Amino acid sequence: MFRYSSAFVWLGVAAMGLTTLPAFAQTPNEVLATLKTAAAGEPNFQEFSAARGEQFFKVKHGKEWSCTSCHTDNPAAQGKHADTGKAIQPIAPSANAERFTDMAKVEKWFKRNCNDVLGRACTPQEKGDVLSYLLTVKK
Amino acid sequence: MNQRVLVWDVPTRVFHWLFALSFAACWYVSESDLWLSFHTFFGYLMLGLIAFRLVWGFMGGHYTRFSEFLYSPLAGLRYLRQALSGSGARYIGHNPAGSQAVYLLLALGLVVGLTGMFAQGGEEQHGAVAGWLAVSTGIIFKEAHGYLAIVMLLVVIGHLAGVAMESWLHKENLPRSMVTGFKEAAQGSAVSKPHYGVGVALLAAAIAFGIWWFFYAWHEPVAKHLGYGGAQPGLHVAFVGPKLPDNAKWRDECGGCHLAFHPNLLPARSWQKLMDGQNKHFGTDLALDDATKAAVLAFLLNNAAEHSDREAAYKINRSIKASEAPLRITETPYWVKKHAEISDAIWRSPKVKTKSNCGACHEDAEAGTFEDAAMKIPK
């Protein structure tokens, strides 16, 4: 009896999925392009580098946490908030289609997380490096 | 010459045994929060049965009509004295003492059921009268419910003792006649009609109610237990109830780093203070812009503890001194008291990690309801 009713639920979900495909405001590449426009205006701009981004993501910057404290060494895996233990969905766009699709959200979390990890805001260069790295991470 | 006479018609027998079952089932799980919806199911069933019996007392078979056993309490006592001295006359229907038990059990069942309904409607804001009463009134009804249930238990015990005594005194098996409906009686005694149709309808109604309740309250936890339909297996009987006020912006802004703590868990003055200090939020700068901050704050204030009819909200709010505005739910006296018995080992376990990780133990933490029945400590 349950099996039938859950089958109906899945049919319903599938039908809804077909009719309302998720409409994201931006793609990660568009977010990257926006970051690039901002970064290119800075004095010591260098082309974004995934290697530098990976380095930045994985080391500590003089405080207790690195980005991996919450997002783990593998950006395609589920993370866990270092303070509260709350699960954090993967941060790599390959593993989580919602990531880097809303510039305001991206900026909000960069602001908070950079503050926690570096004690300051991240530069557009650093943000672009990180996103370049995250875009190379395969699922 | 004696003959076998139908005394208890089918509906009365169905009523009797379902009533007894409901009473026993309610008692059996009365101490268990997890089985609360099982308890309330039998409570409602009992109320429905009593309603039926009251009508049936005017329309039923000969011996089940109230007019057939209208004895005063005094007559009941007199009969009891005679029976104890071994000289009580034999009645085919209810004897004067047994009649008192019938009336008392119907009346007590009614008030126990109703006080239970009002306790649940006030305290948990659940059930048929959800929202009719304040939490504080619900708590009074719950006290009354408990005491009346004990009185009812005493009457049930008295009834069983009376049945045993009568069976022994007149050398007949009274419980069996409540199953078969038949008794030995003198030729020419009145006979009840069986009323099969009504009996079957009553039984069918009770079963239909049970099936409906199953899908209402039990389907989901049972499905989870059997391994489909949910992420967390577990066989607690979850409580279903009204959803709390919700807000997408609040969930989005306050549910990223931790559970979005529902506004009903702190009073308005605490939320005001917390949002005033949002740039120093437990060591983090939330960096909310003014418009976002105002929108989230409005939702928090409008649904704060003092504006909520939840039991937890009421008790948390009442426990905080008026001069204080704690920023942590986990520092409010009520929360501290409720969680005092949890061992350090559990708090430190990787599945819990911090006190504010409510979802580790409360399955309904996201919804903010914190039902008694949705609580379990992770193993």
Short mmCIF file of all heavy atoms in Angstrom, two decimals, chain B residues 15-30 38-39 41-47 49-50 104-106 108-110 112-113 145-160:
data_model
loop_
_atom_site.label_atom_id
_atom_site.label_comp_id
_atom_site.label_asym_id
_atom_site.label_seq_id
_atom_site.Cartn_x
_atom_site.Cartn_y
_atom_site.Cartn_z
N PHE B 15 -19.97 -2.35 21.29
CA PHE B 15 -19.65 -1.17 22.08
C PHE B 15 -18.83 -1.56 23.30
O PHE B 15 -17.78 -1.00 23.58
CB PHE B 15 -20.92 -0.45 22.54
CG PHE B 15 -20.68 0.44 23.72
CD1 PHE B 15 -20.16 1.71 23.53
CD2 PHE B 15 -20.92 0.00 25.03
CE1 PHE B 15 -19.89 2.53 24.62
CE2 PHE B 15 -20.64 0.80 26.12
CZ PHE B 15 -20.13 2.06 25.92
N HIS B 16 -19.30 -2.55 24.04
CA HIS B 16 -18.66 -2.89 25.31
C HIS B 16 -17.19 -3.24 25.12
O HIS B 16 -16.31 -2.74 25.82
CB HIS B 16 -19.39 -4.06 25.98
CG HIS B 16 -18.70 -4.52 27.23
ND1 HIS B 16 -17.70 -5.46 27.22
CD2 HIS B 16 -18.84 -4.12 28.53
CE1 HIS B 16 -17.27 -5.65 28.46
NE2 HIS B 16 -17.95 -4.84 29.27
N TRP B 17 -16.91 -4.09 24.14
CA TRP B 17 -15.53 -4.56 24.03
C TRP B 17 -14.62 -3.51 23.41
O TRP B 17 -13.45 -3.39 23.78
CB TRP B 17 -15.47 -5.89 23.27
CG TRP B 17 -16.12 -6.98 24.08
CD1 TRP B 17 -17.27 -7.65 23.79
CD2 TRP B 17 -15.66 -7.50 25.34
NE1 TRP B 17 -17.58 -8.54 24.79
CE2 TRP B 17 -16.60 -8.48 25.76
CE3 TRP B 17 -14.58 -7.23 26.17
CZ2 TRP B 17 -16.47 -9.18 26.95
CZ3 TRP B 17 -14.45 -7.94 27.36
CH2 TRP B 17 -15.38 -8.91 27.74
N LEU B 18 -15.15 -2.70 22.50
CA LEU B 18 -14.33 -1.61 21.96
C LEU B 18 -14.06 -0.56 23.04
O LEU B 18 -12.96 0.01 23.11
CB LEU B 18 -15.02 -0.94 20.76
CG LEU B 18 -14.99 -1.72 19.44
CD1 LEU B 18 -15.70 -0.93 18.35
CD2 LEU B 18 -13.56 -2.02 19.02
N PHE B 19 -15.06 -0.32 23.88
CA PHE B 19 -14.90 0.63 24.98
C PHE B 19 -13.81 0.14 25.93
O PHE B 19 -12.90 0.89 26.31
CB PHE B 19 -16.26 0.75 25.69
CG PHE B 19 -16.34 1.86 26.71
CD1 PHE B 19 -16.04 3.17 26.37
CD2 PHE B 19 -16.75 1.58 28.02
CE1 PHE B 19 -16.14 4.19 27.32
CE2 PHE B 19 -16.86 2.60 28.96
CZ PHE B 19 -16.55 3.90 28.62
N ALA B 20 -13.88 -1.15 26.28
CA ALA B 20 -12.88 -1.73 27.17
C ALA B 20 -11.50 -1.67 26.52
O ALA B 20 -10.50 -1.30 27.16
CB ALA B 20 -13.24 -3.18 27.49
N LEU B 21 -11.44 -2.00 25.22
CA LEU B 21 -10.16 -1.96 24.51
C LEU B 21 -9.60 -0.55 24.52
O LEU B 21 -8.40 -0.34 24.79
CB LEU B 21 -10.37 -2.45 23.07
CG LEU B 21 -9.17 -2.24 22.15
CD1 LEU B 21 -8.08 -3.25 22.48
CD2 LEU B 21 -9.57 -2.37 20.69
N SER B 22 -10.44 0.45 24.22
CA SER B 22 -9.97 1.83 24.18
C SER B 22 -9.40 2.24 25.52
O SER B 22 -8.34 2.85 25.61
CB SER B 22 -11.12 2.79 23.84
OG SER B 22 -11.74 2.40 22.66
N PHE B 23 -10.12 1.89 26.57
CA PHE B 23 -9.67 2.27 27.90
C PHE B 23 -8.31 1.63 28.20
O PHE B 23 -7.37 2.30 28.63
CB PHE B 23 -10.71 1.84 28.95
CG PHE B 23 -10.32 2.19 30.34
CD1 PHE B 23 -10.49 3.49 30.80
CD2 PHE B 23 -9.74 1.25 31.19
CE1 PHE B 23 -10.11 3.84 32.09
CE2 PHE B 23 -9.35 1.60 32.47
CZ PHE B 23 -9.55 2.89 32.93
N ALA B 24 -8.20 0.35 27.93
CA ALA B 24 -6.94 -0.35 28.22
C ALA B 24 -5.81 0.23 27.37
O ALA B 24 -4.70 0.48 27.87
CB ALA B 24 -7.09 -1.84 27.94
N ALA B 25 -6.08 0.46 26.09
CA ALA B 25 -5.03 0.97 25.20
C ALA B 25 -4.57 2.35 25.66
O ALA B 25 -3.37 2.65 25.69
CB ALA B 25 -5.54 1.03 23.76
N CYS B 26 -5.50 3.20 26.04
CA CYS B 26 -5.14 4.54 26.52
C CYS B 26 -4.25 4.45 27.76
O CYS B 26 -3.25 5.14 27.87
CB CYS B 26 -6.38 5.35 26.85
SG CYS B 26 -7.16 6.06 25.40
N TRP B 27 -4.62 3.57 28.68
CA TRP B 27 -3.79 3.43 29.88
C TRP B 27 -2.42 2.90 29.55
O TRP B 27 -1.42 3.37 30.07
CB TRP B 27 -4.45 2.47 30.88
CG TRP B 27 -5.16 3.21 31.96
CD1 TRP B 27 -6.50 3.36 32.06
CD2 TRP B 27 -4.57 3.93 33.05
NE1 TRP B 27 -6.78 4.14 33.15
CE2 TRP B 27 -5.63 4.51 33.78
CE3 TRP B 27 -3.26 4.16 33.47
CZ2 TRP B 27 -5.42 5.29 34.92
CZ3 TRP B 27 -3.06 4.93 34.60
CH2 TRP B 27 -4.12 5.49 35.31
N TYR B 28 -2.39 1.93 28.67
CA TYR B 28 -1.14 1.23 28.39
C TYR B 28 -0.07 2.20 27.89
O TYR B 28 1.10 2.08 28.25
CB TYR B 28 -1.41 0.13 27.35
CG TYR B 28 -0.20 -0.73 27.11
CD1 TYR B 28 0.32 -1.51 28.14
CD2 TYR B 28 0.42 -0.76 25.87
CE1 TYR B 28 1.43 -2.29 27.94
CE2 TYR B 28 1.53 -1.54 25.66
CZ TYR B 28 2.03 -2.30 26.70
OH TYR B 28 3.14 -3.07 26.49
N VAL B 29 -0.44 3.18 27.07
CA VAL B 29 0.58 4.09 26.51
C VAL B 29 0.54 5.47 27.17
O VAL B 29 1.15 6.40 26.68
CB VAL B 29 0.41 4.25 24.99
CG1 VAL B 29 0.61 2.92 24.29
CG2 VAL B 29 -0.94 4.85 24.65
N SER B 30 -0.17 5.59 28.30
CA SER B 30 -0.40 6.95 28.80
C SER B 30 0.88 7.64 29.25
O SER B 30 0.94 8.85 29.30
CB SER B 30 -1.41 6.91 29.95
OG SER B 30 -0.90 6.10 30.99
N PHE B 38 -1.34 7.47 19.32
CA PHE B 38 -2.02 6.20 19.57
C PHE B 38 -3.03 6.41 20.70
O PHE B 38 -4.20 6.04 20.61
CB PHE B 38 -0.95 5.19 19.98
CG PHE B 38 -1.41 3.77 20.09
CD1 PHE B 38 -1.49 2.97 18.97
CD2 PHE B 38 -1.69 3.22 21.33
CE1 PHE B 38 -1.89 1.65 19.09
CE2 PHE B 38 -2.08 1.91 21.44
CZ PHE B 38 -2.19 1.12 20.32
N HIS B 39 -2.57 7.07 21.74
CA HIS B 39 -3.41 7.39 22.89
C HIS B 39 -4.62 8.23 22.45
O HIS B 39 -5.76 7.94 22.81
CB HIS B 39 -2.56 8.16 23.90
CG HIS B 39 -3.27 8.56 25.15
ND1 HIS B 39 -3.33 7.76 26.26
CD2 HIS B 39 -3.93 9.70 25.48
CE1 HIS B 39 -4.01 8.37 27.22
NE2 HIS B 39 -4.39 9.56 26.77
N PHE B 41 -5.92 8.53 19.52
CA PHE B 41 -6.82 7.78 18.65
C PHE B 41 -7.87 7.04 19.49
O PHE B 41 -9.07 7.13 19.25
CB PHE B 41 -6.05 6.77 17.79
CG PHE B 41 -6.94 5.76 17.13
CD1 PHE B 41 -7.76 6.12 16.08
CD2 PHE B 41 -7.00 4.45 17.59
CE1 PHE B 41 -8.61 5.21 15.49
CE2 PHE B 41 -7.85 3.52 17.01
CZ PHE B 41 -8.65 3.90 15.95
N PHE B 42 -7.39 6.33 20.51
CA PHE B 42 -8.34 5.58 21.33
C PHE B 42 -9.21 6.50 22.18
O PHE B 42 -10.34 6.16 22.53
CB PHE B 42 -7.61 4.54 22.18
CG PHE B 42 -7.24 3.33 21.37
CD1 PHE B 42 -5.93 3.10 20.98
CD2 PHE B 42 -8.22 2.44 20.98
CE1 PHE B 42 -5.60 1.99 20.22
CE2 PHE B 42 -7.90 1.34 20.20
CZ PHE B 42 -6.59 1.11 19.82
N GLY B 43 -8.70 7.68 22.50
CA GLY B 43 -9.52 8.66 23.20
C GLY B 43 -10.70 9.11 22.35
O GLY B 43 -11.85 9.13 22.81
N TYR B 44 -10.42 9.44 21.10
CA TYR B 44 -11.51 9.85 20.21
C TYR B 44 -12.48 8.70 19.97
O TYR B 44 -13.69 8.88 19.92
CB TYR B 44 -10.96 10.35 18.86
CG TYR B 44 -10.40 11.75 18.91
CD1 TYR B 44 -9.06 11.98 18.65
CD2 TYR B 44 -11.22 12.83 19.20
CE1 TYR B 44 -8.54 13.27 18.69
CE2 TYR B 44 -10.71 14.11 19.24
CZ TYR B 44 -9.37 14.33 18.99
OH TYR B 44 -8.87 15.59 19.03
N LEU B 45 -11.90 7.51 19.81
CA LEU B 45 -12.76 6.34 19.60
C LEU B 45 -13.72 6.17 20.78
O LEU B 45 -14.91 5.94 20.61
CB LEU B 45 -11.88 5.09 19.43
CG LEU B 45 -12.64 3.80 19.14
CD1 LEU B 45 -13.39 3.90 17.81
CD2 LEU B 45 -11.70 2.60 19.10
N MET B 46 -13.17 6.35 21.98
CA MET B 46 -13.98 6.20 23.17
C MET B 46 -15.12 7.23 23.20
O MET B 46 -16.27 6.89 23.50
CB MET B 46 -13.10 6.36 24.41
CG MET B 46 -13.81 6.07 25.70
SD MET B 46 -12.77 6.40 27.13
CE MET B 46 -11.73 5.00 27.18
N LEU B 47 -14.81 8.46 22.83
CA LEU B 47 -15.85 9.49 22.81
C LEU B 47 -16.94 9.13 21.80
O LEU B 47 -18.13 9.27 22.08
CB LEU B 47 -15.23 10.85 22.46
CG LEU B 47 -14.48 11.53 23.61
CD1 LEU B 47 -13.83 12.83 23.11
CD2 LEU B 47 -15.43 11.83 24.76
N LEU B 49 -17.74 6.15 20.80
CA LEU B 49 -18.49 5.01 21.32
C LEU B 49 -19.51 5.45 22.35
O LEU B 49 -20.66 4.98 22.37
CB LEU B 49 -17.52 4.00 21.94
CG LEU B 49 -16.65 3.21 20.96
CD1 LEU B 49 -15.51 2.51 21.69
CD2 LEU B 49 -17.50 2.20 20.19
N ILE B 50 -19.10 6.38 23.21
CA ILE B 50 -20.02 6.85 24.25
C ILE B 50 -21.22 7.56 23.61
O ILE B 50 -22.37 7.35 24.00
CB ILE B 50 -19.29 7.77 25.24
CG1 ILE B 50 -18.28 6.95 26.04
CG2 ILE B 50 -20.28 8.44 26.19
CD1 ILE B 50 -17.38 7.76 26.93
N LEU B 104 -21.58 5.55 35.69
CA LEU B 104 -20.32 6.20 36.07
C LEU B 104 -19.28 6.09 34.95
O LEU B 104 -18.60 7.06 34.63
CB LEU B 104 -19.76 5.56 37.34
CG LEU B 104 -20.29 6.12 38.66
CD1 LEU B 104 -19.72 5.32 39.82
CD2 LEU B 104 -19.89 7.60 38.79
N LEU B 105 -19.20 4.90 34.35
CA LEU B 105 -18.17 4.73 33.32
C LEU B 105 -18.49 5.57 32.08
O LEU B 105 -17.59 6.15 31.48
CB LEU B 105 -18.03 3.24 32.95
CG LEU B 105 -17.32 2.42 34.03
CD1 LEU B 105 -17.35 0.93 33.69
CD2 LEU B 105 -15.88 2.89 34.21
N LEU B 106 -19.77 5.64 31.73
CA LEU B 106 -20.13 6.49 30.59
C LEU B 106 -19.81 7.95 30.90
O LEU B 106 -19.21 8.66 30.08
CB LEU B 106 -21.62 6.34 30.25
CG LEU B 106 -22.02 5.02 29.58
CD1 LEU B 106 -23.53 4.97 29.38
CD2 LEU B 106 -21.31 4.86 28.24
N LEU B 108 -17.72 9.19 33.21
CA LEU B 108 -16.29 9.42 33.36
C LEU B 108 -15.58 9.35 32.01
O LEU B 108 -14.70 10.15 31.71
CB LEU B 108 -15.68 8.41 34.33
CG LEU B 108 -15.91 8.74 35.81
CD1 LEU B 108 -15.56 7.55 36.69
CD2 LEU B 108 -15.07 9.95 36.20
N GLY B 109 -15.97 8.37 31.21
CA GLY B 109 -15.36 8.26 29.88
C GLY B 109 -15.55 9.56 29.11
O GLY B 109 -14.63 10.06 28.46
N LEU B 110 -16.74 10.13 29.24
CA LEU B 110 -17.03 11.37 28.55
C LEU B 110 -16.14 12.52 29.06
O LEU B 110 -15.49 13.21 28.26
CB LEU B 110 -18.51 11.72 28.76
CG LEU B 110 -19.09 12.81 27.87
CD1 LEU B 110 -19.08 12.36 26.42
CD2 LEU B 110 -20.52 13.13 28.31
N VAL B 112 -13.35 12.32 30.87
CA VAL B 112 -11.92 12.04 30.66
C VAL B 112 -11.57 12.33 29.20
O VAL B 112 -10.57 12.98 28.90
CB VAL B 112 -11.58 10.58 31.03
CG1 VAL B 112 -10.18 10.22 30.56
CG2 VAL B 112 -11.68 10.38 32.54
N GLY B 113 -12.42 11.87 28.29
CA GLY B 113 -12.16 12.12 26.87
C GLY B 113 -12.16 13.61 26.55
O GLY B 113 -11.26 14.12 25.88
N HIS B 145 -7.48 15.80 33.59
CA HIS B 145 -7.53 14.59 32.78
C HIS B 145 -6.87 13.43 33.52
O HIS B 145 -7.41 12.32 33.61
CB HIS B 145 -6.82 14.87 31.46
CG HIS B 145 -6.79 13.73 30.49
ND1 HIS B 145 -7.92 13.21 29.92
CD2 HIS B 145 -5.76 13.01 29.99
CE1 HIS B 145 -7.59 12.24 29.10
NE2 HIS B 145 -6.29 12.08 29.13
N GLY B 146 -5.70 13.70 34.08
CA GLY B 146 -4.95 12.65 34.79
C GLY B 146 -5.71 12.14 36.00
O GLY B 146 -5.84 10.93 36.21
N TYR B 147 -6.23 13.06 36.82
CA TYR B 147 -6.93 12.63 38.03
C TYR B 147 -8.21 11.87 37.69
O TYR B 147 -8.52 10.83 38.27
CB TYR B 147 -7.25 13.83 38.92
CG TYR B 147 -6.02 14.41 39.57
CD1 TYR B 147 -5.66 15.74 39.38
CD2 TYR B 147 -5.20 13.61 40.36
CE1 TYR B 147 -4.51 16.26 39.96
CE2 TYR B 147 -4.05 14.12 40.94
CZ TYR B 147 -3.71 15.45 40.74
OH TYR B 147 -2.59 15.95 41.31
N LEU B 148 -8.98 12.40 36.73
CA LEU B 148 -10.24 11.74 36.36
C LEU B 148 -9.99 10.34 35.80
O LEU B 148 -10.77 9.42 36.04
CB LEU B 148 -10.99 12.60 35.35
CG LEU B 148 -11.60 13.88 35.94
CD1 LEU B 148 -11.99 14.85 34.84
CD2 LEU B 148 -12.81 13.52 36.80
N ALA B 149 -8.88 10.20 35.08
CA ALA B 149 -8.57 8.88 34.51
C ALA B 149 -8.31 7.88 35.64
O ALA B 149 -8.67 6.71 35.53
CB ALA B 149 -7.36 8.97 33.59
N ILE B 150 -7.70 8.36 36.72
CA ILE B 150 -7.46 7.45 37.86
C ILE B 150 -8.79 7.06 38.50
O ILE B 150 -9.02 5.89 38.82
CB ILE B 150 -6.53 8.13 38.89
CG1 ILE B 150 -5.13 8.28 38.27
CG2 ILE B 150 -6.45 7.30 40.17
CD1 ILE B 150 -4.17 9.06 39.11
N VAL B 151 -9.69 8.04 38.65
CA VAL B 151 -11.01 7.72 39.19
C VAL B 151 -11.70 6.67 38.30
O VAL B 151 -12.27 5.69 38.78
CB VAL B 151 -11.88 9.00 39.27
CG1 VAL B 151 -13.28 8.64 39.75
CG2 VAL B 151 -11.24 10.02 40.20
N MET B 152 -11.57 6.87 36.99
CA MET B 152 -12.20 5.93 36.06
C MET B 152 -11.60 4.54 36.22
O MET B 152 -12.32 3.53 36.20
CB MET B 152 -12.05 6.43 34.63
CG MET B 152 -12.85 5.62 33.62
SD MET B 152 -12.91 6.47 32.03
CE MET B 152 -13.65 5.18 31.02
N LEU B 153 -10.29 4.50 36.41
CA LEU B 153 -9.64 3.19 36.61
C LEU B 153 -10.22 2.50 37.85
O LEU B 153 -10.48 1.29 37.84
CB LEU B 153 -8.13 3.37 36.76
CG LEU B 153 -7.35 2.09 37.02
CD1 LEU B 153 -7.42 1.17 35.80
CD2 LEU B 153 -5.90 2.37 37.37
N LEU B 154 -10.44 3.28 38.92
CA LEU B 154 -10.99 2.69 40.14
C LEU B 154 -12.39 2.13 39.86
O LEU B 154 -12.73 1.04 40.33
CB LEU B 154 -11.05 3.74 41.25
CG LEU B 154 -9.68 4.23 41.73
CD1 LEU B 154 -9.83 5.30 42.80
CD2 LEU B 154 -8.86 3.05 42.28
N VAL B 155 -13.19 2.87 39.09
CA VAL B 155 -14.53 2.38 38.78
C VAL B 155 -14.45 1.11 37.93
O VAL B 155 -15.22 0.16 38.11
CB VAL B 155 -15.38 3.46 38.08
CG1 VAL B 155 -16.75 2.92 37.72
CG2 VAL B 155 -15.51 4.69 38.97
N VAL B 156 -13.51 1.08 36.99
CA VAL B 156 -13.34 -0.12 36.17
C VAL B 156 -13.00 -1.31 37.07
O VAL B 156 -13.57 -2.40 36.92
CB VAL B 156 -12.23 0.08 35.11
CG1 VAL B 156 -11.84 -1.25 34.47
CG2 VAL B 156 -12.71 1.05 34.04
N ILE B 157 -12.10 -1.08 38.01
CA ILE B 157 -11.75 -2.17 38.93
C ILE B 157 -12.98 -2.61 39.72
O ILE B 157 -13.25 -3.81 39.87
CB ILE B 157 -10.62 -1.72 39.88
CG1 ILE B 157 -9.32 -1.53 39.08
CG2 ILE B 157 -10.39 -2.76 40.99
CD1 ILE B 157 -8.20 -0.89 39.85
N GLY B 158 -13.78 -1.64 40.19
CA GLY B 158 -15.00 -1.97 40.90
C GLY B 158 -15.95 -2.78 40.03
O GLY B 158 -16.54 -3.77 40.47
N HIS B 159 -16.07 -2.37 38.77
CA HIS B 159 -16.93 -3.08 37.82
C HIS B 159 -16.48 -4.52 37.64
O HIS B 159 -17.28 -5.46 37.69
CB HIS B 159 -16.91 -2.31 36.49
CG HIS B 159 -17.52 -3.02 35.33
ND1 HIS B 159 -18.85 -3.36 35.28
CD2 HIS B 159 -16.98 -3.45 34.16
CE1 HIS B 159 -19.11 -3.96 34.13
NE2 HIS B 159 -17.99 -4.04 33.44
N LEU B 160 -15.17 -4.72 37.48
CA LEU B 160 -14.65 -6.08 37.30
C LEU B 160 -14.90 -6.92 38.55
O LEU B 160 -15.30 -8.09 38.47
CB LEU B 160 -13.14 -6.04 36.99
CG LEU B 160 -12.77 -5.38 35.66
CD1 LEU B 160 -11.26 -5.36 35.47
CD2 LEU B 160 -13.44 -6.11 34.50
#
